[in-house]
Structures are given as C-alpha cells and as structure tokens.
Amino acid sequence: MTDLPPDLFDQTTIISLLATVAIVLVAYLTSKSVLPTSTSGTLRFLFIWHLADALCHFILEGSFLYHCFFSYMTPDAETDIANLFPTPFNFLGWENQRIYGPQSGGDNPFAQLWMVYARADKRWAGIDLGSPKANFWMIILATAELYGGFMTFCPEWLTGNINLDGSNFMYMWVYLVFFNGLWVVIPLYAMWYSYCQISLAFLALPTKKNN
C-alpha cells in the first residue's frame, strides 16, 4: 500500500468538504422550513437531494465555469507546464498564450476547492473540451429535452389548447414559440453535431486498424 499524500487532509481539503456538507445542511434546513411536518421521509429525502443538487450545480459548478472563462495565467520560461492541465489550443482566440481554469485561480476559495478535487481527476484543474463521452451524453440529454417538450404540449394539443393564449405577439411568438422552441432547436442541433462527431470517429477506425 502506497503512502498517503501529505495534503490528503490539509486545511483546504477540510474547508472544501465542509462546503459540501454546508450545501446539504442548507437543503435540509430548507426542507424543515417549507415542507409540512406530515411530509414522508421519502419525499423529504428527495426534496433535500434535488435542492442540494441544484445548489451544487449553481454554486460549485458555476464557480468552475467562471474560472474556465475568466481565470488564466500567461506562461513564461519559468512556468512548470508539465504540472498544468493543458488548455485547448486557441481557446477563446488566444492560441497557446493563456492557461485557463481553476489552476490559474490563485487564492480564490472556489479555485482552491476545485484544485482539491483535481488531485483525483486532473481534468478539473483546467479545461477539457475533447472528451468523446460528451457526444454520448449530449444525445441522451437532447433526447430527454425533446421528450419533455413533447409531453408538455402534446396533452394540451389533444384538448384543444384550452390553456394556451396566443392572442398577441408577446404571448404567441415570444413566450410560447421562442422560449419553448429553444428546447427543440438546440437539442436537435446537439444531436446533429454529436452524430457527425461519432460518424467521423467510426470513419477513422479502419485507418487506425491498418496502422
């Protein structure tokens, strides 16, 4: 068994873990505040889970996206490139002049939190745009979005649109068509893009086998 790393339970790690516990605690206290006392344990658990999940996405993963776009360093001769997760070439139009991600966030608490997690998965230290798994999950999510949109409006169509009001431009073309259409057009585009990427991958297989 290998020796444990000296920073396994350092101050940054403890604070990061406590931040996660705090999110769960907020979700639990919220459930105590807004749910009736008669709520079953199952529903209370699911409420806590979904609220904690939402807070995790908005706060923690939101901070990761911030560092992906706004935290960067300009490497020089003294920069230890080997210990940094590489930024995709020409990301945001800067070719190879900048290194983005939490690894460039300095003393920012959220950057340090992600650098703790990056000890286990180094991709979270920087920006990883090239995972082939992304295409698979984009198809799954796009299919779910299209199904959700269909199930939202199909029952209404079958009952004569009695709950829809398209009497003016704002209601019809902005609220109903535009905002709901986004969840049709963009998922279809995501499916088309993923299909093209997967097709290209299969076309490249014979070449790799011959090599």
Side-chain angles (χ1 to χ4, degrees):
M1 182 176 179
T2 59
D3 294 333
L4 296 177
D7 58 357
L8 187 62
F9 291 108
D10 61 7
Q11 181 180 3
T12 304
T13 300
I14 298 300
I15 294 175
S16 299
L17 293 175
L18 288 176
T20 305
V21 173
I23 287 176
V24 177
L25 181 61
V26 168
Y28 170 75
L29 294 176
T30 303
S31 76
K32 298 287 287 184
S33 175
V34 303
L35 295 180
T37 55
S38 59
T39 302
S40 68
T42 300
L43 286 179
R44 187 175 299 277
F45 167 77
L46 292 174
F47 177 91
I48 294 171
W49 163 254
H50 285 99
L51 180 55
D53 183 49
L55 291 173
C56 180
H57 283 298
F58 281 111
I59 299 174
L60 299 184
E61 295 187 9
S63 70
F64 175 77
L65 289 176
Y66 171 84
H67 288 295
C68 285
F69 288 101
F70 299 107
S71 293
Y72 65 88
M73 67 174 72
T74 303
D76 53 31
E78 298 181 356
T79 304
D80 188 4
I81 299 294
N83 288 324
L84 296 173
F85 191 81
T87 296
F89 179 76
N90 206 36
F91 180 69
L92 299 182
W94 287 97
E95 297 185 347
N96 59 352
Q97 301 176 34
R98 291 181 174 182
I99 297 176
Y100 282 86
Q103 61 194 350
S104 302
D107 295 331
N108 181 278
F110 287 104
Q112 293 186 355
L113 180 149
W114 282 109
M115 290 307 295
V116 167
Y117 188 74
R119 296 171 188 171
D121 186 345
K122 62 183 180 181
R123 294 174 300 174
W124 293 95
I127 301 171
D128 181 19
L129 300 179
S131 173
K133 297 178 182 178
N135 295 305
F136 170 79
W137 288 112
M138 279 196 288
I139 291 175
I140 296 294
L141 292 174
T143 302
E145 294 288 359
L146 293 172
Y147 175 77
F150 178 79
M151 293 305 296
T152 297
F153 285 99
C154 182
E156 190 64 20
W157 297 333
L158 294 176
T159 56
N161 298 329
I162 57 176
N163 292 303
L164 303 182
D165 184 353
S167 60
N168 60 70
F169 175 84
M170 183 65 71
Y171 292 174
M172 179 67 181
W173 296 105
V174 178
Y175 293 168
L176 293 176
V177 175
F178 175 73
F179 282 116
N180 289 286
L182 287 175
W183 302 103
V184 175
V185 175
I186 295 178
L188 286 175
Y189 172 75
M191 295 176 76
W192 172 80
Y193 172 83
S194 298
Y195 168 79
C196 292
Q197 295 299 307
I198 293 172
S199 297
L200 289 174
F202 276 105
L203 288 174
L205 282 178
T207 303
K208 291 185 177 180
K209 289 181 179 179
N210 293 333
N211 293 335

